[in-house]
Amino acid sequence: QSALTQPPSASGSPGQSVTISCTGTSSDVGGYKYVSWYQQHPGKAPKLMIYEVSQRPSGVPDRFSGSKSGNTASLTVSGLQTEDEADYYCCSYAGSNNWVFGGGTKLTVL
Amino acid sequence: EVHLVESGGALVQPGGSLRLSCAASGFIFSSYEMNWVRQAPGKGLEWVSYISTSGTTIYYADSVKGRFTISRDNAKNSLYLQMNSLRAEDTAVYYCARSYYDFWSGFRYWGQGTLVTVSS
C-alpha cells in the first residue's frame, strides 16, 4: 500500500482555522470509515486526535474536527492556538488487515 | 493513568535479531488490543503489527511479514516484538500503542518509543 498524500506544510494565525487534507484511494480512505488523525510534537509520541473519521477521544478539544468526502479525509483545527503547532498524520484502514499512514503535515502557527 | 514503556532497542548489525518489550500499566492489559508502530528518523509513521486481546489474531505489515513476530503475556502485562533478519530500513523508533477500544478505533495510547538502529 502507498502512503496517503498530505501537504507537507500548513499554517495559520492564532484564532484562525486551518484544514489539512489526506488523499488516498477507494481501497483505503474512500472505502472505509476508519480514518484517524494523530498530533506529534517534536521528540514526543503521537497523540490520537480523531478516530473513525470524525470521532473525538475524550480530552481532545472540540476545536479539532474530522470529515471525509470520497477519497479525501480532512482535519480542521479551529481557533488555532500556539500549542497546536505540531506534525499531523492521517491514518486509514487499507483492507487486508493493514493500516496506512500519510506522510505528515507540519502545522505552523504564525 | 495509562503507561506504556518500551525497551530493548539497540544498535544491531544487518541480518541480526532483537526483541522489543512494552510494559503496560494503568489499565486492564488483557482487555485491550495492542500494536507496534514505527517511525524512521525524520520520517512518518508506519504501522507494523497488531495482536488481539488473547493473542490468537495477529496481523503484520507486508514490510515485516515473515521476519517479525508479535506476542503478548497478559499475566505479565507485557507486549513483545521479536525482530529477525533485520535490515537497514528497519531503523526506526518503535512505539507500542494501545487501541482505543478495538482494531478499528485508532491508536489511543502510545509509549515513548525505543530506538532500533540497524547498521554495520
Side-chain angles (χ1 to χ4, degrees), chain A residues 64-101:
Chain A
F64 291 86
S65 62
S67 63
K68 191 185 80 162
S69 178
N71 296 337
T72 298
S74 299
L75 173 72
T76 297
V77 186
S78 305
L80 269 174
Q81 299 182 4
T82 55
E83 58 262 36
D84 298 333
E85 184 162 296
D87 293 328
Y88 290 83
Y89 294 91
C90 61
C91 179
S92 173
Y93 181 65
S96 301
N97 303 313
N98 274 286
W99 294 94
V100 61
F101 280 91

Side-chain angles (χ1 to χ4, degrees), chain B residues 45-63:
Chain B
L45 300 168
E46 179 187 15
W47 172 78
V48 172
S49 185
Y50 156 92
I51 188 167
S52 62
T53 54
S54 63
T56 55
T57 301
I58 285 172
Y59 306 131
Y60 297 101
D62 289 343
S63 57

Side-chain angles (χ1 to χ4, degrees), chain B residues 7-113:
Chain B
S7 61
L11 171 63
V12 61
Q13 291 189 338
S17 297
L18 209 56
R19 188 194 198 205
L20 306 183
S21 299
C22 171
S25 61
F27 64 100
I28 302 173
F29 181 72
S30 59
S31 297
Y32 289 91
E33 301 162 10
M34 299 294 296
N35 301 267
W36 288 98
V37 178
R38 68 184 180 183
Q39 185 170 34
K43 302 297 184 181
L45 300 168
E46 179 187 15
W47 172 78
V48 172
S49 185
Y50 156 92
I51 188 167
S52 62
T53 54
S54 63
T56 55
T57 301
I58 285 172
Y59 306 131
Y60 297 101
D62 289 343
S63 57
V64 306
K65 202 171 294 183
R67 300 187 299 121
F68 289 13
T69 302
I70 192 173
S71 62
R72 65 190 297 162
D73 186 334
N74 287 340
K76 294 183 178 180
N77 291 339
S78 293
L79 175 72
Y80 306 102
L81 186 67
Q82 177 66 43
M83 303 186 296
N84 298 331
S85 303
L86 282 162
R87 307 166 180 168
E89 54 264 36
D90 295 319
T91 294
V93 173
Y94 285 74
Y95 295 100
C96 67
R98 199 202 87 177
S99 296
Y100 194 6
Y101 54 86
D102 65 14
F103 177 71
W104 311 103
S105 58
F107 312 115
R108 180 67 169 100
Y109 296 100
W110 299 63
Q112 84 290 347

